[in-house]
Amino acid sequence: MSEVNNSNSTASRRFAIGVSDFSTSEPLLNAEQIVACGMDFIEPGLAKMAAMSEADFDAAVQRIQAAGIRVMSANWFLPPDLKVTGPDVDLAKSKQFLEHALARAVKLGARAVVFGSPGSRSLPEGFSEAEGRRQMIEFCRLCSDVIRDHGWDLKIAVEHVNHTETNFINTFGQALSVVREVDRPEIGLAADFYHFAMEDESTEIMLDAGDLICAVQLANPEGRCFPKAGASIPGLNAFFQHLVEIGYSGGVSVEATVDNLEQDCKASAELIATLPM
């Protein structure tokens, strides 16, 4: 298979722009279409990839690599039945999953895995938040240990997820506090414009995080759709300016509801290329 042509080269914009696994985007399945529409990379769902058969996963890897498509990061980290907090945590089971899933992320070329996974990390009703925080830190350090043991060039990007999706670590500030306590170079932060907006949190706090930010996602908060020219998206310019100020050099992935994948990708790529950065 020949390399997919992307006329909207990253050379013409400061950040590589991609599409996350969300809604019906299915970036692993639709990779060629996504890149042909002006995006630079895909961000597939790791839990989905981990559940694939060996033959199906190897075929996907061969297809993606033959087409020259970049996988800069992965999202959809954990299956919801693998618990990070609460009474059903099983660290042996978690380690087994991490060994398997993170190896697949690395094989595809990902350098970061976004750790949202609200179904895994949400606190059960009545469960101690302090104990949940301790468990979260313990899990992050387990991730770090697995990455170190294998010598992988990979980071886990702890994501702030708004209060409508989880009851634990809703703000970027809370995520930053956890990551600082974990204190491992393999554990960083995801900055998500949509969740900033949903929590009405200032993006200026990104300046405090600096190079801890290792993954970035966005969506138009109005409908969680792909950002497009003509839409009023307060704060988007400032969000990108903060990325410039901290020297961020990773990818920016659109994690949004799909209307028409081809049109959505083209519109977002065109809009982001026009932002003052």
Side-chain angles (χ1 to χ4, degrees):
M1 184 184 298
S2 61
E3 185 170 332
V4 172
N5 176 48
N6 179 352
S7 57
N8 252 334
S9 168
T10 315
S12 65
R13 54 189 175 224
R14 191 177 194 112
F15 303 110
I17 307 300
V19 173
S20 304
D21 197 334
F22 190 82
S23 176
T24 58
S25 66
E26 296 292 345
L28 198 61
L29 180 65
N30 298 317
E32 291 86 352
Q33 180 185 11
I34 288 168
V35 173
C37 292
M39 296 301 198
D40 302 303
F41 72 95
I42 61 169
E43 184 178 89
L46 187 56
K48 289 183 179 180
M49 291 194 295
M52 295 170 71
S53 70
E54 201 71 38
D56 286 347
F57 178 71
D58 286 345
V61 171
Q62 291 172 16
R63 195 187 97 246
I64 296 299
Q65 292 179 345
I69 295 170
R70 287 191 291 169
V71 178
M72 297 183 69
S73 50
N75 69 339
W76 210 318
F77 184 16
L78 305 174
D81 60 348
L82 186 67
K83 299 301 181 184
V84 172
T85 67
D88 299 324
V89 170
D90 184 337
L91 290 179
K93 183 179 177 182
S94 293
K95 184 176 182 181
Q96 183 180 31
F97 175 83
L98 292 171
E99 298 270 3
H100 170 68
L102 295 181
R104 290 194 165 186
V106 170
K107 190 169 184 177
L108 267 174
R111 300 287 296 277
V113 175
V114 178
F115 182 8
S117 305
S120 296
R121 80 187 205 198
S122 292
L123 303 176
E125 186 175 355
F127 194 78
S128 163
E129 185 171 349
E131 176 62 9
R133 181 185 174 96
R134 185 199 66 78
Q135 291 176 317
M136 180 72 168
I137 290 167
E138 182 177 43
F139 178 81
C140 287
R141 288 176 176 161
L142 175 63
C143 293
S144 168
D145 290 342
V146 170
I147 292 170
R148 288 183 180 186
D149 288 347
H150 289 276
W152 290 327
D153 185 9
L154 184 69
K155 290 190 175 186
I156 305 300
V158 177
E159 183 181 24
H160 51 128
V161 178
N162 77 81
H163 68 279
T164 69
E165 298 180 38
T166 182
N167 60 2
F168 187 49
I169 312 181
N170 302 127
T171 69
F172 186 87
Q174 290 166 348
L176 175 58
S177 173
V178 167
V179 168
R180 281 179 169 158
E181 188 169 347
V182 172
D183 195 23
R184 297 282 185 90
E186 298 81 13
I187 309 300
L189 286 161
D192 190 311
F193 180 76
Y194 172 76
H195 293 302
F196 271 116
M198 289 293 290
E199 291 297 312
D200 196 24
E201 183 181 18
S202 171
T203 57
E204 282 194 20
I205 194 172
M206 294 161 61
L207 302 178
D208 295 333
D211 61 6
L212 285 174
I213 297 175
C214 55
V216 173
Q217 296 177 333
L218 61 84
N220 184 341
E222 197 65 41
R224 199 170 193 175
C225 58
F226 278 65
K228 301 172 185 177
S232 175
I233 310 177
L236 187 61
N237 285 0
F239 179 75
F240 275 95
Q241 187 56 46
H242 296 327
L243 292 176
V244 172
E245 290 177 44
I246 65 173
Y248 179 73
S249 59
V252 177
S253 193
V254 180
E255 187 181 56
T257 301
V258 174
D259 182 15
N260 177 293
L261 186 60
E262 179 177 351
Q263 294 176 10
D264 289 342
C265 288
K266 287 180 178 178
S268 287
E270 290 169 5
L271 169 67
I272 292 169
T274 67
L275 293 176
M277 289 183 270

